[in-house]
Amino acid sequence: FPTRRSSDLLPADVVAMMRDLRLFWLKTPRELGGGELDPLEFCDVLEEIAYYDASAAWTAMVGNGCTGTVAGWLPEEGLREVFAVPIPPICAGQFVARGMAMPVDGGYAVTGRWGFSSGMNHSGWLIGGCLVAGGEEQILVVVPKSEATCHDTWHVAGLQGTGSGDYSLEQVFVPAARTFAWPGPAVRGRDLFRQAPVPF
């Protein structure tokens, strides 16, 4: 985001502090280094962050929801790729099926544009909801942010620091291991991941 105003993003030192406090992984399974907090405890943490800054709380909420979903639902092969670094990743994106996934050998060619991708500036991976071409199946795809085009669209009066811009993909290959049916049952995690996917 070379043209972004500084007020449209969380300051780098705030993001670093939130990373150090592990505030982006409260809904990630414990086996992957997360806190796996129950919903009420999670809300208590968000409330405390929001007392100081609403944008920081919003991006913590979104980062936890997106990263926790990837951590709980992504197939094992894809999970090993996304969680390959010692510190867990931060994911951002949009669950609404605004993309089209064309089946190809080994995965999908994905095209689409997703809005309101809060926190994507400090995220390494993006998720996007897609319809599978030729049917009504919906999937979530997980892509490195480096493979997406990020669009500077977030110029608002409130929650400026969430940086909730758009991103797009144009015929980007996504291996099947980095996709999963949505909504559908989680494949790892404890009680937190037994609730229905959308409330999660």
Side-chain angles (χ1 to χ4, degrees):
F1 297 115
T3 63
R4 274 198 177 277
R5 302 169 299 177
S6 61
S7 62
D8 292 335
L9 306 173
L10 286 186
D13 60 333
V14 172
V15 174
M17 178 179 64
M18 292 172 71
R19 284 178 180 269
D20 290 344
L21 294 172
R22 306 188 72 78
L23 293 177
F24 294 109
W25 306 295
L26 303 175
K27 294 179 77 169
T28 294
R30 291 175 189 155
E31 65 214 65
L32 297 174
E36 206 167 334
L37 290 186
D38 71 49
L40 293 180
E41 291 175 322
F42 180 63
C43 288
D44 287 343
V45 174
L46 293 181
E47 182 179 352
E48 187 67 21
I49 299 170
Y51 178 82
Y52 296 97
D53 185 82
S55 291
W58 183 269
T59 55
M61 181 267 297
V62 171
N64 275 286
C66 291
T67 306
T69 298
V70 170
W73 275 261
L74 197 64
E76 195 64 33
E77 181 182 350
L79 186 82
R80 288 196 301 270
E81 181 182 0
V82 176
F83 278 74
V85 293
I87 298 175
I90 301 173
C91 302
Q94 180 61 251
F95 291 71
V96 177
R98 293 182 175 160
M100 184 64 66
M102 179 67 66
V104 296
D105 188 30
Y108 300 90
V110 177
T111 297
R113 180 163 174 156
W114 295 263
F116 303 106
S117 300
S118 302
M120 69 178 173
N121 60 294
H122 56 255
S123 301
W125 294 84
L126 299 173
I127 63 175
C130 294
L131 282 174
V132 176
E136 298 183 0
E137 180 187 5
Q138 293 189 31
I139 62 172
L140 285 183
V141 301
V142 183
V143 298
K145 185 172 69 177
S146 60
E147 295 182 4
T149 300
C150 297
H151 303 278
D152 184 10
T153 58
W154 194 246
H155 304 289
V156 294
L159 287 178
Q160 292 178 345
T162 64
S164 305
D166 294 9
Y167 83 90
S168 61
L169 302 173
E170 184 66 39
Q171 292 294 304
V172 171
F173 174 71
V174 182
R178 279 200 268 111
T179 71
F180 51 95
W182 188 258
V187 295
R188 66 187 59 80
R190 297 177 178 82
D191 289 347
L192 179 63
F193 294 84
R194 303 286 78 82
Q195 65 182 315
V198 174
F200 176 89

